[in-house]
Amino acid sequence: MINWLFMNRSIRTKIVWSNILISLVPLLILSYLFYQSSTRSLEQAMVRSSDQNAEYLSDYLDQYFRNISTSALQVYGFKSVLDLMENGTNYNDANIIDIRESLASYYRLVVSKNTDVIKIVVLGTNNTVQDTWSRADSYNAITLNEQVPHYKEIADLPFQHSLMFTYKDPALQQDLFVYAMTIYDPFYKKKFGSLIFYVKGKDFSKMMETYNRTPNVIVLQNEHGERFYQTNETYAQEIEPFTRPATLIDSDEHELHFSEGRNLLASTSFLDHSNIGLSIIYPSTELAHNRKNTLRITIMVFVLVMLVIAIFSLLAQQYITRPIQFLGKAMRSVRNGNFNVTLKPNRWHDDLSELTANFNFMTEKIQDLIEKEYKMQLRNKEAQFLALQMQINPHFLYNTLQTIGGKAVLIGDYEIHEMCRALGDMFRYSFYEGNMESTLGLELAHLNNYLYIQQLRFEDSLQMEFNVQSQLMDCSVIRFVLQPVMENTIVHAMGKEEQHRLQVWVAAVRSGDDVLITIQDNGPGMEEGKLTALQSALEYPSSEVFSGVSIGLRNVHERIRLFYGPSYGLRLDSKSGAGMTVEIRIPYKQSGGQ
């Protein structure tokens, strides 16, 4: 990202991007802090409002369920009812009338505090129905059987435990709310029996919704984590299952917390001595709306400030980059060969005015030195190149003429004619006074004439193999590149043993924008020390003209570097007893400059 913004960009662009990036970090931090503080204030306001509502609603519902549980526990004040639950009914007992009066009094006491109770069932120690009370005869159809959830469990609840659930009664075809509690001897924990209270489901729902505000959701769970009442199932996945704590909690405290996405506020509390879990969900619709507005305002202010910074940066950079643009334009003129360009100095004494003055001084200095230094170097290079190109090894002419004479005396056939023809072609190619450049095809033809003469001299001791791509024949190359290298190979690789057979491979391939020509032999190779010295001589040429060993290789190497540049030339590789490889690198350019 940084490279894309700054690399290969103008100074004005870099100045603008620098100001934007420098301002970006603090603005992002300030925007984030503003958004966080605003949303936190909104959340705190919602928490305060929800906390008051949760406290009021939990107190109201806790009182409702406590009225039922208290009514159940008031049975301890009616000894006759407890005896009935423990020992059952004996119609021959003279106290049966007292038991009926006690039951009636207890029923009146219960319904006076719980006006929506429609039926009461009294179970004995052996879980049999000892007595019932109904608000109307139609409610006598309510029976406790296997069709009722928790049928077996509600008669044997643990001490100080109660169980609430709802179900649809098949006889009445109505939803009923059931509250069950088992009655024990408070000292010996001996079971007396159980009390079951029934409330119509619609009355229970009406009571629950009396103090609820939409879209808040109320969820009640029993100690099994069953939801026996919920306003709706909109946020069912946000409600955590209720688990009854090990110890009783008789407290009015409740807990408020946001959901993971902070879009919902949930309140949890314990009711009826920890037998009921109350969950209230407060959808933060208004909070989400205010958050969006706050975020929208934050983004708009952030974008506006960044635009102002960008505009002022564009205006300010004009005063900085305009002199640099003039300087760049002047430098392009100098690069194109116009050394007479000058810049008008600024009236301010700053870094740019000093740079302008140095540029004017540089152009004046170049004008003074261009004739003396630059052109003199060009003339020296041209003279050196001509000297390198005109050098010819006289030993080759001597050996060739000696071979021709020997063949004429000993053989007396037409091979002499071919030798003379090859030698004539070589002379014509050597003494050509035209362009210094030739083609790779002509260089190979010149090399072939040379090898033809050498093969007549060495006969079967010299074997050649060529592998040159046909499309490289028109590649442009300076003259006398291959023949001196081949001559060096034959001179140093043939050896003095007549039985030694020299195999030479010549190859040329395209490598990107270059051409690699390889001449490899199977001769005796070169020791590591001598190879290092020869490579050093090629890399750092001596001031003396072609002194020392391997004159042909140095000649070719320096001519190539003078003509094509320092990245081209010869590279040597050899091991003692494993032959030698000479790699020639030249640029790929077809004859005619294409």
Side-chain angles (χ1 to χ4, degrees), residues 227 233-241 257-266 268 279 281:
R227 301 178 184 182
E233 298 182 359
T234 305
Y235 307 106
Q237 69 279 2
E238 300 292 338
I239 306 298
E240 296 182 358
H257 64 276
F258 280 98
S259 62
E260 184 176 354
R262 304 191 72 81
N263 294 322
L264 298 174
L265 183 62
T268 57
S279 298
I281 301 298

Side-chain angles (χ1 to χ4, degrees), residues 24-38:
L24 182 63
V25 175
L27 281 177
L28 284 175
I29 295 175
L30 291 176
S31 300
Y32 174 78
L33 294 176
F34 170 75
Y35 175 75
Q36 289 295 324
S37 61
S38 300

Side-chain angles (χ1 to χ4, degrees), residues 40-56 213 254 256 258 265 282:
R40 191 176 295 110
S41 299
L42 294 172
E43 290 175 356
Q44 291 175 353
M46 180 180 178
V47 168
R48 287 193 296 269
S49 175
S50 302
D51 183 67
Q52 294 175 359
N53 178 263
E55 182 178 1
Y56 179 80
R213 296 179 300 178
H254 55 273
L256 282 171
F258 280 98
L265 183 62
Y282 300 94

Side-chain angles (χ1 to χ4, degrees), residues 74 142 212 344 348 351 389 398 589:
Q74 284 178 339
I142 300 174
N212 185 37
K344 181 180 180 180
W348 300 285
D351 295 339
Q389 183 172 332
Y398 175 81
K589 182 177 66 173

Side-chain angles (χ1 to χ4, degrees), residues 290-304:
N290 292 332
R291 280 177 179 168
K292 290 182 180 179
N293 289 337
T294 303
L295 180 61
R296 191 179 298 113
I297 294 173
T298 303
I299 293 176
M300 291 176 60
V301 172
F302 174 79
V303 173
L304 179 62

